[in-house]
């Protein structure tokens, strides 16, 4: 759970700076947000969570 919250904060911060620098348009940001919501409700969410946990665990051991 803590990893998910941290990733949401990280991606939110990156998205904020992309929008602020006008590198990413509002339409693309909306599409990215909706993609994330829909991806989370599919069967792909569990493998993505496991992959993220494995990467975080590997980075922690470096």
């Amino acid at each position: 759970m803590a990893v998910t919250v941290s990733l949401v904060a990280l991606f939110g911060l990156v998205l904020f700076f992309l929008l602020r620098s006008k590198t990413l348009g509002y339409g693309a940001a909306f599409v990215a947000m909706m993609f994330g919501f829909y991806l989370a409700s599919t069967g792909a969410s569990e493998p993505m969570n496991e992959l993220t946990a494995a990467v975080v665990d590997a980075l922690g051991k470096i």
Side-chain angles (χ1 to χ4, degrees):
M1 180 66 176
V3 171
T4 304
V5 173
S6 298
L7 287 174
V8 168
L10 174 67
F11 288 135
L13 187 63
V14 169
L15 184 60
F16 170 77
F17 284 116
L18 286 173
L19 286 171
R20 185 172 165 101
S21 67
K22 297 180 183 170
T23 305
L24 181 66
Y26 291 108
F30 178 75
V31 169
M33 180 185 69
M34 294 307 292
F35 175 74
F37 280 121
Y38 285 119
L39 182 64
S41 66
T42 65
S45 64
E46 185 61 32
M48 294 302 289
N49 286 336
E50 291 173 3
L51 176 66
T52 303
V55 169
V56 168
D57 186 43
L59 289 175
K61 292 181 180 180
I62 291 180

